[in-house]
Amino acid sequence: MKYCSTCGQQVEQKIPAGDNRYRYVCVSCETIHYQNPRIIAGTVPVWDGKILLCRRAIEPRYGYWTLPAGFMENAETTIEAAARETLEEALAEVTIDGLFSIIDVPHINQVHMFYRATLVNGSFGAGEESLESRLFAADEIPWDEISFPTVKRTLEYFLSEMPSGNYGLHVTDIRPPSAKRLDQNTSSRNTS
Amino acid sequence: MKYCSTCGQQVEQKIPAGDNRYRYVCVSCETIHYQNPRIIAGTVPVWDGKILLCRRAIEPRYGYWTLPAGFMENAETTIEAAARETLEEALAEVTIDGLFSIIDVPHINQVHMFYRATLVNGSFGAGEESLESRLFAADEIPWDEISFPTVKRTLEYFLSEMPSGNYGLHVTDIRPPSAKRLDQNTSSRNTS
């Protein structure tokens, strides 16, 4: 950020009065431009005991398999965002069965949220951002071609609980390989 | 938004190629400026069977009681944000016991997340944004002076489950009184 989106003048980084973090502040109109994490919302879509994955037609990770997910938009709920992304990327209508994973990715300022979901009528396809979509049985998941760590982690949790059908909520985080975990206890299954 | 934060020229609202929503796009450098919901993270801090509330020293809702909560910052996790806000507003160190509520507020582009928490040593106070903080027993909650609907809703859920100690996860949304609910089913207790 170099310029103020309110008045067009330059911004500088400084700690505003009463704050304790550097922010972009306009040198002219003094507007403070806060920057905050964004939510990625998606689903684990299931049909006939199989999981629907999409093969990405866009970068990053072109050609890799992913759960349908994307940036939550203004004026929608997390559930609406998750269902919308599933419709857009996999052309699949789903009913939402419950929140399954919340994975913080602090080094890229994102929070990934996946809901368990069931296809409404078993139909699916490839949206504009997908090369194809396909149903995978538990032993068919293409582990070496999964797009993102949060997708891999969510699939691992899901498949470990799929046999029992007793799904928990998983609140955890993913940090870059070099980063020391701040608190191992923040990665835990919420068993309540 | 009137000006491009990248180059300082004017922005216009248009639907970029491959998109289906109006975005702010720079007329000069063509940068697309996405706007997304923000996360409010907080806790339900408990000590000795009572709930810690803070009385707000800032607008909006100056003088009203709230659970400690605030905007999640870049480079932190939701758990870190919830604990930080509790320390800043109530001067209380807490351990996080589990995610308790996720309440979408789509008309103001926010997602509110509250974690159950326990004070580390029973000490608390009033941070810069609080007039005071105080422990309330279940029958002492100042219902007519609660700051925000998401706080009231979270407290209602919490108090209904406090006697059993069997806490669920509550995924729901709050819409303005005039808005027709899009889908009643999106408001449900996640019983998994």
Side-chain angles (χ1 to χ4, degrees):
Chain A
M1 180 178 293
K2 291 180 179 173
Y3 298 92
C4 176
S5 56
T6 303
C7 78
Q9 298 304 302
Q10 288 195 313
V11 294
E12 61 180 351
Q13 290 207 55
K14 65 185 231 184
I15 300 176
D19 202 340
N20 53 19
R21 288 167 193 258
Y22 279 92
R23 312 283 183 186
Y24 289 105
V25 180
C26 179
V27 299
S28 175
C29 75
E30 298 185 353
T31 296
I32 303 167
H33 297 281
Y34 296 96
Q35 296 187 309
N36 302 88
R38 293 199 288 177
I39 293 172
I40 307 289
T43 63
V44 185
V46 173
W47 182 254
D48 198 21
K50 297 181 176 181
I51 298 169
L52 186 65
L53 298 179
C54 306
R55 202 152 69 86
R56 290 172 62 82
I58 53 172
E59 294 291 353
R61 309 300 271 167
Y62 179 99
Y64 283 71
W65 292 92
T66 188
L67 290 166
F71 286 108
M72 181 181 178
E73 299 278 4
N74 277 352
E76 66 183 359
T77 67
T78 52
I79 285 176
E80 289 165 354
R84 174 184 54 72
E85 288 289 344
T86 308
L87 186 60
E88 287 179 1
E89 297 188 357
L91 306 184
E93 278 187 60
V94 291
T95 55
I96 299 294
D97 300 318
L99 185 58
F100 184 67
S101 67
I102 298 183
I103 307 180
D104 290 288
V105 197
H107 58 287
I108 54 171
N109 308 317
Q110 292 182 358
V111 179
H112 292 217
M113 298 177 59
F114 288 95
Y115 283 90
R116 291 183 293 109
T118 304
L119 299 200
V120 166
N121 54 21
S123 94
F124 58 88
E128 286 190 8
E129 298 183 358
S130 303
L131 298 169
E132 61 177 314
S133 63
R134 196 192 301 176
L135 289 168
F136 290 88
D139 60 357
E140 298 171 337
I141 302 289
W143 291 111
D144 293 339
E145 300 167 42
I146 297 296
S147 57
F148 302 110
T150 56
V151 172
K152 184 163 182 279
R153 187 82 66 92
T154 297
L155 285 170
E156 288 168 348
Y157 290 141
F158 194 85
L159 288 167
S160 72
E161 294 173 5
M162 206 173 182
S164 71
N166 185 16
Y167 296 104
L169 169 73
H170 303 270
V171 180
T172 186
D173 57 68
I174 285 178
R175 299 180 191 262
S178 60
K180 188 180 172 189
R181 289 288 290 277
L182 291 178
D183 179 5
Q184 291 288 349
N185 292 327
T186 62
S187 173
S188 63
R189 177 175 171 184
N190 187 328
T191 55
S192 62
Chain B
M1 179 178 293
K2 292 181 180 172
Y3 298 93
C4 174
S5 57
T6 302
C7 78
Q9 299 303 303
Q10 287 194 313
V11 294
E12 62 180 349
Q13 290 206 56
K14 66 184 224 184
I15 300 176
D19 202 340
N20 54 18
R21 287 167 194 259
Y22 279 92
R23 313 284 184 184
Y24 288 106
V25 181
C26 180
V27 297
S28 176
C29 74
E30 298 186 352
T31 297
I32 303 167
H33 298 281
Y34 296 96
Q35 297 187 309
N36 302 87
R38 295 198 289 176
I39 293 173
I40 307 289
T43 63
V44 185
V46 172
W47 182 253
D48 198 20
K50 297 181 177 182
I51 298 170
L52 186 64
L53 299 179
C54 306
R55 202 151 70 86
R56 288 173 63 82
I58 54 172
E59 295 291 353
R61 309 299 273 168
Y62 179 100
Y64 283 70
W65 292 92
T66 188
L67 291 165
F71 286 107
M72 181 181 178
E73 300 279 2
N74 277 352
E76 67 183 359
T77 67
T78 52
I79 285 176
E80 289 166 353
R84 176 184 52 73
E85 287 289 345
T86 308
L87 186 59
E88 288 179 1
E89 297 189 356
L91 306 183
E93 278 188 60
V94 291
T95 55
I96 299 294
D97 300 319
L99 185 58
F100 183 67
S101 67
I102 298 184
I103 307 180
D104 290 288
V105 196
H107 59 287
I108 54 171
N109 308 317
Q110 292 182 357
V111 179
H112 291 217
M113 298 177 58
F114 287 95
Y115 283 90
R116 291 182 293 110
T118 304
L119 299 200
V120 167
N121 54 21
S123 93
F124 58 88
E128 285 190 8
E129 298 184 357
S130 303
L131 297 169
E132 61 178 314
S133 64
R134 198 193 298 177
L135 288 168
F136 290 88
D139 60 357
E140 297 172 337
I141 302 289
W143 291 110
D144 293 338
E145 300 167 43
I146 298 297
S147 57
F148 301 112
T150 56
V151 172
K152 184 162 182 279
R153 187 83 65 94
T154 297
L155 285 170
E156 287 168 348
Y157 290 140
F158 194 85
L159 288 167
S160 72
E161 294 172 7
M162 208 174 183
S164 71
N166 184 18
Y167 295 104
L169 169 72
H170 301 271
V171 179
T172 185
D173 59 67
I174 285 178
R175 300 183 190 258
S178 59
K180 188 180 173 189
R181 289 287 290 276
L182 292 178
D183 179 4
Q184 290 289 348
N185 292 328
T186 61
S187 172
S188 63
R189 179 174 170 182
N190 187 328
T191 55
S192 63

PDB file of all heavy atoms in Angstrom, chain A residues 69-89:
ATOM      1  N   ALA A  69     -13.208 -24.488  -2.500  1.00  0.00           N
ATOM      2  CA  ALA A  69     -13.060 -23.457  -1.462  1.00  0.00           C
ATOM      3  C   ALA A  69     -12.585 -22.173  -2.114  1.00  0.00           C
ATOM      4  O   ALA A  69     -11.963 -22.196  -3.175  1.00  0.00           O
ATOM      5  CB  ALA A  69     -12.061 -23.904  -0.405  1.00  0.00           C
ATOM      6  N   GLY A  70     -12.856 -21.062  -1.464  1.00  0.00           N
ATOM      7  CA  GLY A  70     -12.382 -19.787  -1.985  1.00  0.00           C
ATOM      8  C   GLY A  70     -12.656 -18.657  -1.022  1.00  0.00           C
ATOM      9  O   GLY A  70     -13.200 -18.880   0.069  1.00  0.00           O
ATOM     10  N   PHE A  71     -12.258 -17.462  -1.404  1.00  0.00           N
ATOM     11  CA  PHE A  71     -12.401 -16.309  -0.517  1.00  0.00           C
ATOM     12  C   PHE A  71     -13.869 -16.008  -0.228  1.00  0.00           C
ATOM     13  O   PHE A  71     -14.678 -15.873  -1.144  1.00  0.00           O
ATOM     14  CB  PHE A  71     -11.755 -15.065  -1.140  1.00  0.00           C
ATOM     15  CG  PHE A  71     -10.261 -15.095  -1.104  1.00  0.00           C
ATOM     16  CD1 PHE A  71      -9.529 -15.303  -2.259  1.00  0.00           C
ATOM     17  CD2 PHE A  71      -9.580 -14.919   0.095  1.00  0.00           C
ATOM     18  CE1 PHE A  71      -8.137 -15.344  -2.227  1.00  0.00           C
ATOM     19  CE2 PHE A  71      -8.192 -14.962   0.134  1.00  0.00           C
ATOM     20  CZ  PHE A  71      -7.470 -15.174  -1.025  1.00  0.00           C
ATOM     21  N   MET A  72     -14.187 -15.912   1.042  1.00  0.00           N
ATOM     22  CA  MET A  72     -15.508 -15.456   1.463  1.00  0.00           C
ATOM     23  C   MET A  72     -15.701 -14.015   0.994  1.00  0.00           C
ATOM     24  O   MET A  72     -14.782 -13.199   1.063  1.00  0.00           O
ATOM     25  CB  MET A  72     -15.587 -15.533   2.992  1.00  0.00           C
ATOM     26  CG  MET A  72     -16.918 -15.100   3.565  1.00  0.00           C
ATOM     27  SD  MET A  72     -16.873 -15.194   5.382  1.00  0.00           S
ATOM     28  CE  MET A  72     -18.519 -14.585   5.747  1.00  0.00           C
ATOM     29  N   GLU A  73     -16.903 -13.726   0.509  1.00  0.00           N
ATOM     30  CA  GLU A  73     -17.207 -12.394   0.006  1.00  0.00           C
ATOM     31  C   GLU A  73     -17.975 -11.583   1.059  1.00  0.00           C
ATOM     32  O   GLU A  73     -18.623 -12.162   1.947  1.00  0.00           O
ATOM     33  CB  GLU A  73     -18.080 -12.486  -1.260  1.00  0.00           C
ATOM     34  CG  GLU A  73     -17.428 -13.230  -2.409  1.00  0.00           C
ATOM     35  CD  GLU A  73     -16.463 -12.366  -3.208  1.00  0.00           C
ATOM     36  OE1 GLU A  73     -16.230 -11.196  -2.839  1.00  0.00           O
ATOM     37  OE2 GLU A  73     -15.926 -12.882  -4.208  1.00  0.00           O
ATOM     38  N   ASN A  74     -17.936 -10.271   0.921  1.00  0.00           N
ATOM     39  CA  ASN A  74     -18.782  -9.422   1.748  1.00  0.00           C
ATOM     40  C   ASN A  74     -20.254  -9.800   1.561  1.00  0.00           C
ATOM     41  O   ASN A  74     -20.655 -10.287   0.501  1.00  0.00           O
ATOM     42  CB  ASN A  74     -18.588  -7.954   1.370  1.00  0.00           C
ATOM     43  CG  ASN A  74     -17.369  -7.347   2.061  1.00  0.00           C
ATOM     44  OD1 ASN A  74     -16.761  -7.972   2.930  1.00  0.00           O
ATOM     45  ND2 ASN A  74     -17.020  -6.137   1.675  1.00  0.00           N
ATOM     46  N   ALA A  75     -21.035  -9.579   2.598  1.00  0.00           N
ATOM     47  CA  ALA A  75     -22.502  -9.725   2.563  1.00  0.00           C
ATOM     48  C   ALA A  75     -22.976 -11.170   2.468  1.00  0.00           C
ATOM     49  O   ALA A  75     -24.149 -11.413   2.198  1.00  0.00           O
ATOM     50  CB  ALA A  75     -23.123  -8.899   1.439  1.00  0.00           C
ATOM     51  N   GLU A  76     -22.086 -12.125   2.723  1.00  0.00           N
ATOM     52  CA  GLU A  76     -22.542 -13.514   2.798  1.00  0.00           C
ATOM     53  C   GLU A  76     -22.061 -14.127   4.112  1.00  0.00           C
ATOM     54  O   GLU A  76     -21.191 -13.580   4.784  1.00  0.00           O
ATOM     55  CB  GLU A  76     -22.041 -14.330   1.596  1.00  0.00           C
ATOM     56  CG  GLU A  76     -20.546 -14.540   1.521  1.00  0.00           C
ATOM     57  CD  GLU A  76     -20.125 -15.308   0.262  1.00  0.00           C
ATOM     58  OE1 GLU A  76     -20.987 -15.702  -0.540  1.00  0.00           O
ATOM     59  OE2 GLU A  76     -18.905 -15.494   0.087  1.00  0.00           O
ATOM     60  N   THR A  77     -22.641 -15.277   4.470  1.00  0.00           N
ATOM     61  CA  THR A  77     -22.207 -16.002   5.656  1.00  0.00           C
ATOM     62  C   THR A  77     -21.154 -17.030   5.259  1.00  0.00           C
ATOM     63  O   THR A  77     -20.975 -17.335   4.073  1.00  0.00           O
ATOM     64  CB  THR A  77     -23.385 -16.731   6.333  1.00  0.00           C
ATOM     65  OG1 THR A  77     -23.832 -17.773   5.455  1.00  0.00           O
ATOM     66  CG2 THR A  77     -24.545 -15.769   6.604  1.00  0.00           C
ATOM     67  N   THR A  78     -20.481 -17.584   6.255  1.00  0.00           N
ATOM     68  CA  THR A  78     -19.460 -18.593   5.955  1.00  0.00           C
ATOM     69  C   THR A  78     -20.101 -19.813   5.284  1.00  0.00           C
ATOM     70  O   THR A  78     -19.507 -20.403   4.378  1.00  0.00           O
ATOM     71  CB  THR A  78     -18.723 -19.031   7.238  1.00  0.00           C
ATOM     72  OG1 THR A  78     -19.670 -19.420   8.235  1.00  0.00           O
ATOM     73  CG2 THR A  78     -17.871 -17.897   7.783  1.00  0.00           C
ATOM     74  N   ILE A  79     -21.298 -20.164   5.717  1.00  0.00           N
ATOM     75  CA  ILE A  79     -21.994 -21.303   5.104  1.00  0.00           C
ATOM     76  C   ILE A  79     -22.365 -20.986   3.653  1.00  0.00           C
ATOM     77  O   ILE A  79     -22.187 -21.816   2.751  1.00  0.00           O
ATOM     78  CB  ILE A  79     -23.254 -21.667   5.928  1.00  0.00           C
ATOM     79  CG1 ILE A  79     -22.835 -22.391   7.212  1.00  0.00           C
ATOM     80  CG2 ILE A  79     -24.238 -22.511   5.103  1.00  0.00           C
ATOM     81  CD1 ILE A  79     -23.986 -22.710   8.143  1.00  0.00           C
ATOM     82  N   GLU A  80     -22.857 -19.785   3.427  1.00  0.00           N
ATOM     83  CA  GLU A  80     -23.201 -19.391   2.058  1.00  0.00           C
ATOM     84  C   GLU A  80     -21.957 -19.374   1.176  1.00  0.00           C
ATOM     85  O   GLU A  80     -21.999 -19.785   0.010  1.00  0.00           O
ATOM     86  CB  GLU A  80     -23.874 -18.016   2.059  1.00  0.00           C
ATOM     87  CG  GLU A  80     -25.279 -18.021   2.640  1.00  0.00           C
ATOM     88  CD  GLU A  80     -25.806 -16.631   2.964  1.00  0.00           C
ATOM     89  OE1 GLU A  80     -25.031 -15.651   2.841  1.00  0.00           O
ATOM     90  OE2 GLU A  80     -26.971 -16.539   3.366  1.00  0.00           O
ATOM     91  N   ALA A  81     -20.854 -18.900   1.733  1.00  0.00           N
ATOM     92  CA  ALA A  81     -19.600 -18.859   0.969  1.00  0.00           C
ATOM     93  C   ALA A  81     -19.130 -20.263   0.610  1.00  0.00           C
ATOM     94  O   ALA A  81     -18.729 -20.529  -0.532  1.00  0.00           O
ATOM     95  CB  ALA A  81     -18.524 -18.128   1.780  1.00  0.00           C
ATOM     96  N   ALA A  82     -19.202 -21.168   1.568  1.00  0.00           N
ATOM     97  CA  ALA A  82     -18.748 -22.544   1.340  1.00  0.00           C
ATOM     98  C   ALA A  82     -19.607 -23.221   0.269  1.00  0.00           C
ATOM     99  O   ALA A  82     -19.083 -23.884  -0.636  1.00  0.00           O
ATOM    100  CB  ALA A  82     -18.800 -23.329   2.653  1.00  0.00           C
ATOM    101  N   ALA A  83     -20.923 -23.031   0.360  1.00  0.00           N
ATOM    102  CA  ALA A  83     -21.828 -23.637  -0.624  1.00  0.00           C
ATOM    103  C   ALA A  83     -21.648 -22.997  -2.006  1.00  0.00           C
ATOM    104  O   ALA A  83     -21.665 -23.686  -3.031  1.00  0.00           O
ATOM    105  CB  ALA A  83     -23.271 -23.501  -0.157  1.00  0.00           C
ATOM    106  N   ARG A  84     -21.448 -21.681  -2.029  1.00  0.00           N
ATOM    107  CA  ARG A  84     -21.246 -20.982  -3.309  1.00  0.00           C
ATOM    108  C   ARG A  84     -19.987 -21.451  -4.005  1.00  0.00           C
ATOM    109  O   ARG A  84     -19.977 -21.721  -5.219  1.00  0.00           O
ATOM    110  CB  ARG A  84     -21.191 -19.463  -3.071  1.00  0.00           C
ATOM    111  CG  ARG A  84     -20.850 -18.657  -4.320  1.00  0.00           C
ATOM    112  CD  ARG A  84     -20.717 -17.174  -4.042  1.00  0.00           C
ATOM    113  NE  ARG A  84     -19.774 -16.855  -2.978  1.00  0.00           N
ATOM    114  CZ  ARG A  84     -18.461 -16.952  -3.081  1.00  0.00           C
ATOM    115  NH1 ARG A  84     -17.888 -17.357  -4.213  1.00  0.00           N
ATOM    116  NH2 ARG A  84     -17.678 -16.635  -2.063  1.00  0.00           N
ATOM    117  N   GLU A  85     -18.899 -21.576  -3.240  1.00  0.00           N
ATOM    118  CA  GLU A  85     -17.648 -22.024  -3.848  1.00  0.00           C
ATOM    119  C   GLU A  85     -17.774 -23.444  -4.394  1.00  0.00           C
ATOM    120  O   GLU A  85     -17.193 -23.772  -5.431  1.00  0.00           O
ATOM    121  CB  GLU A  85     -16.505 -21.947  -2.828  1.00  0.00           C
ATOM    122  CG  GLU A  85     -16.063 -20.519  -2.495  1.00  0.00           C
ATOM    123  CD  GLU A  85     -15.321 -19.843  -3.649  1.00  0.00           C
ATOM    124  OE1 GLU A  85     -14.882 -20.538  -4.585  1.00  0.00           O
ATOM    125  OE2 GLU A  85     -15.199 -18.599  -3.629  1.00  0.00           O
ATOM    126  N   THR A  86     -18.540 -24.269  -3.697  1.00  0.00           N
ATOM    127  CA  THR A  86     -18.743 -25.644  -4.157  1.00  0.00           C
ATOM    128  C   THR A  86     -19.539 -25.665  -5.456  1.00  0.00           C
ATOM    129  O   THR A  86     -19.237 -26.440  -6.375  1.00  0.00           O
ATOM    130  CB  THR A  86     -19.461 -26.459  -3.064  1.00  0.00           C
ATOM    131  OG1 THR A  86     -18.756 -26.303  -1.835  1.00  0.00           O
ATOM    132  CG2 THR A  86     -19.527 -27.932  -3.440  1.00  0.00           C
ATOM    133  N   LEU A  87     -20.519 -24.779  -5.537  1.00  0.00           N
ATOM    134  CA  LEU A  87     -21.310 -24.681  -6.771  1.00  0.00           C
ATOM    135  C   LEU A  87     -20.449 -24.126  -7.912  1.00  0.00           C
ATOM    136  O   LEU A  87     -20.486 -24.634  -9.039  1.00  0.00           O
ATOM    137  CB  LEU A  87     -22.522 -23.775  -6.527  1.00  0.00           C
ATOM    138  CG  LEU A  87     -23.530 -23.671  -7.669  1.00  0.00           C
ATOM    139  CD1 LEU A  87     -24.127 -25.033  -8.014  1.00  0.00           C
ATOM    140  CD2 LEU A  87     -24.645 -22.683  -7.291  1.00  0.00           C
ATOM    141  N   GLU A  88     -19.631 -23.121  -7.620  1.00  0.00           N
ATOM    142  CA  GLU A  88     -18.835 -22.485  -8.674  1.00  0.00           C
ATOM    143  C   GLU A  88     -17.727 -23.404  -9.188  1.00  0.00           C
ATOM    144  O   GLU A  88     -17.479 -23.474 -10.386  1.00  0.00           O
ATOM    145  CB  GLU A  88     -18.209 -21.178  -8.156  1.00  0.00           C
ATOM    146  CG  GLU A  88     -19.211 -20.048  -7.986  1.00  0.00           C
ATOM    147  CD  GLU A  88     -18.580 -18.768  -7.448  1.00  0.00           C
ATOM    148  OE1 GLU A  88     -17.344 -18.752  -7.215  1.00  0.00           O
ATOM    149  OE2 GLU A  88     -19.313 -17.797  -7.242  1.00  0.00           O
ATOM    150  N   GLU A  89     -17.052 -24.081  -8.275  1.00  0.00           N
ATOM    151  CA  GLU A  89     -15.867 -24.848  -8.684  1.00  0.00           C
ATOM    152  C   GLU A  89     -16.196 -26.274  -9.105  1.00  0.00           C
ATOM    153  O   GLU A  89     -15.505 -26.846  -9.950  1.00  0.00           O
ATOM    154  CB  GLU A  89     -14.836 -24.861  -7.543  1.00  0.00           C
ATOM    155  CG  GLU A  89     -14.328 -23.457  -7.231  1.00  0.00           C
ATOM    156  CD  GLU A  89     -13.180 -23.447  -6.250  1.00  0.00           C
ATOM    157  OE1 GLU A  89     -12.784 -24.519  -5.743  1.00  0.00           O
ATOM    158  OE2 GLU A  89     -12.674 -22.341  -5.984  1.00  0.00           O
TER     159      GLU A  89
END
